[in-house]
Amino acid sequence: MEVDDNECEYVFEPHITEEHIETHYGNVHCIMVGTPRANHPVLLTFHDVGLNHKSCFDTLFNHEDMREINSYLPVVHVEAPGQHEGAKTLPSSYIYPSMDQLSEALPAVLKHFGLRRVIGLGVGAGAYILAKFALNHPDLVDGLVLININPSAEGLIDSVASKLTEWTHTLPDTVIAHLFGKDEIENNHDLIATYRHNITTTMNQSNLTQFLHSYNNRNALEVERPIPGENINFRTLKCSTLLIVGDNSPAVEAVVDCNSKLNPTETTLLKMADCGGLPQVDQPAKVIEALKYFIQGLGYLSSVSMTRLRSRTTSSSSITSMDGPRSRAHTNELQHEHTHSRGTEEKRGRSHTDTPMESMSKSNVDHIVSKSSEVAC
């Protein structure tokens, strides 16, 4: 009996390689899941402060809806120096790398695995690192999915507040406040207890403190929104970028600020309703659905199944989702537009849509992914 190749990928467990890779800024722990294919990118993940690849991404990658992506794209999980489970305390002579230096450690990871291009998936500090990597190495990055990114450096007031927090709070309390919003901390006791336990029992406290300090001392991400006819030599992310944040996340304002600084023709902001500080943990199915459409917009995953995801988008000039007659009137216009090839200027679409995303063709998915907008779901 003949068995379809795609079915085989669901039957057999992917090959897993775990390695410590030497870089100019210390060894980074990496886990490769799957086998790279010619002409296919690899998903490259990077975790947030207080997390490792398991606590940050296991809920997402173990979800049944992730199966199509897992069977199509291999994954490389990167963990910052000393942040993996069971990590030994870093030597006292070791100078912990800055966020910029951690981003410059990634080319060594790609070279080690023989990777030519990646799609980045980062959370918090990891999102910042991947964005910096894409700015400096645009030829290596097909696209970015950035959760809870903060593009700004800590101001003087923030720095003082951080110092006070360190003096008056334990390390787990400080990390919990970074990861989760006030409502979650006060009301979702099981979730907070789980992550507090993870921080205190699986993370090396000395190493974690150094990673936290590195993040708090980050520079501002040097990006500038292009203005036609004015800032000709602007610096921005060249690849398609999906920004994700929960509406109850402590990072909401920072993510909105980041969206305002990026190229509006390449950026989408997904603001998730009834969602806290870790969307990939809180609502993994919705994040996976958005991830599928995003990857499709890059020209991959053309045949994966899609479930119903209803979107509401607005132009980046407004942070309020549109859901009125005007919005619905534009739906038919978008669905009947002529199909254009990927990469053309015509992909930018209309300012407002309100339509089930699974009813759109790949071309229309490109419209959603390639324009700066807010998508509420």
Side-chain angles (χ1 to χ4, degrees), residues 56-302:
C56 193
F57 295 111
D58 263 8
T59 301
L60 186 73
F61 281 91
N62 291 336
H63 195 282
E64 61 180 359
D65 291 350
M66 194 72 179
R67 193 168 60 174
E68 292 99 339
I69 296 177
N70 288 338
S71 67
Y72 190 86
L73 297 177
V75 180
V76 174
H77 298 292
V78 181
E79 295 178 311
Q83 306 306 306
H84 58 281
E85 285 188 2
K88 296 181 179 179
T89 300
L90 295 166
S92 57
S93 59
Y94 177 71
I95 300 176
Y96 206 88
S98 67
M99 293 288 106
D100 292 357
Q101 290 172 330
L102 286 173
S103 73
E104 286 304 308
L106 294 178
V109 173
L110 270 63
K111 182 179 180 180
H112 178 86
F113 288 113
L115 308 178
R116 295 184 177 182
R117 297 187 70 83
V118 300
I119 298 172
L121 171 60
V123 180
Y128 178 97
I129 290 167
L130 289 177
K132 194 74 175 181
F133 170 61
L135 281 171
N136 293 332
H137 305 277
D139 56 318
L140 299 178
V141 183
D142 266 355
L144 288 174
V145 180
L146 307 176
I147 301 174
N148 297 341
I149 186 171
N150 188 337
S152 303
E154 278 202 339
L156 179 59
I157 295 178
D158 293 329
S159 180
V160 171
S162 294
K163 294 295 183 184
L164 290 174
T165 300
E166 290 178 21
W167 292 336
T168 59
H169 293 75
T170 64
L171 177 62
D173 286 336
T174 301
V175 174
I176 289 294
H178 164 74
L179 296 174
F180 301 101
K182 183 178 179 181
D183 288 345
E184 281 180 298
I185 294 174
E186 292 179 351
N187 301 314
N188 198 337
H189 301 296
D190 289 343
L191 177 69
I192 301 304
T194 297
Y195 276 86
R196 187 183 299 277
H197 176 77
N198 175 75
I199 293 165
T200 56
T201 61
T202 67
M203 307 294 295
N204 183 296
Q205 303 297 284
S206 173
N207 299 350
L208 172 55
T209 298
Q210 294 184 66
F211 186 34
L212 176 62
H213 285 171
S214 178
Y215 179 65
N216 286 340
N217 290 320
R218 68 190 178 277
N219 297 316
L221 199 63
E222 297 174 352
V223 290
E224 181 182 6
R225 169 160 288 197
I227 301 175
E230 294 187 22
N231 51 348
I232 299 175
N233 296 318
F234 64 91
R235 179 174 165 84
T236 190
L237 294 172
K238 299 294 196 328
C239 60
S240 293
T241 303
L242 174 61
L243 306 179
I244 301 179
V245 67
D247 61 358
N248 292 319
S249 168
V252 170
E253 291 185 7
V255 176
V256 172
D257 177 52
C258 186
N259 182 62
S260 71
K261 295 177 178 178
L262 295 179
N263 188 340
T265 66
E266 296 290 348
T267 309
T268 296
L269 168 61
L270 175 60
K271 191 176 180 184
M272 300 182 66
D274 301 319
C275 184
L278 296 178
Q280 79 280 11
V281 173
D282 196 4
Q283 297 190 25
K286 285 187 177 180
V287 172
I288 292 167
E289 193 76 1
L291 185 58
K292 287 179 181 178
Y293 284 116
F294 179 76
I295 295 173
Q296 271 200 334
L298 298 177
Y300 309 104
L301 291 178
S302 60

Side-chain angles (χ1 to χ4, degrees), residues 29-33 43 45 53 57 61 75-79:
H29 184 239
C30 297
I31 300 91
M32 162 76 83
V33 183
L43 274 177
T45 79
H53 87 277
F57 295 111
F61 281 91
V75 180
V76 174
H77 298 292
V78 181
E79 295 178 311

